[in-house]
Amino acid sequence: MTLFRLHRGSLADSMATARTINTKADLVKALDEDGWPHGDIEVKPYGRDDRIGWNTHIVTVDGMAAGFTSGPFTGEQP
């Protein structure tokens, strides 16, 4: 199980968007619902966020920060 949160102006606002994602389709749906255009999605290590206990990975769409995951995410079902 991986958590995904959208990029927002504050951590509290970002955490309010957190949801479980299990597949790449789940991630694409979350991005679609937030109005992100379809593009090249990448998930890369970003660093530990001790405020929330996440081994944070950044999610980008065509190089623009869209959100973060709570750990590594390949989009494959566990």
Side-chain angles (χ1 to χ4, degrees):
M1 173 187 81
T2 302
L3 294 174
F4 169 73
R5 62 184 171 92
L6 292 161
H7 179 61
R8 294 289 185 259
S10 71
L11 179 60
D13 289 344
S14 181
M15 290 302 291
T17 71
R19 65 168 74 183
T20 300
I21 57 171
N22 293 308
T23 65
K24 186 170 182 181
D26 293 340
L27 179 58
V28 169
K29 180 179 179 185
L31 294 168
D32 282 347
E33 289 174 357
D34 196 50
W36 282 91
H38 290 262
D40 182 34
I41 298 171
E42 291 187 271
V43 181
K44 299 178 189 176
Y46 193 69
R48 177 136 180 97
D49 190 332
D50 291 327
R51 300 171 298 173
I52 55 176
W54 284 19
N55 175 23
T56 305
H57 284 58
I58 190 166
V59 177
T60 60
V61 178
D62 292 335
M64 296 177 55
F68 304 91
T69 63
S70 60
F73 181 74
T74 62
E76 301 297 322
Q77 289 199 354

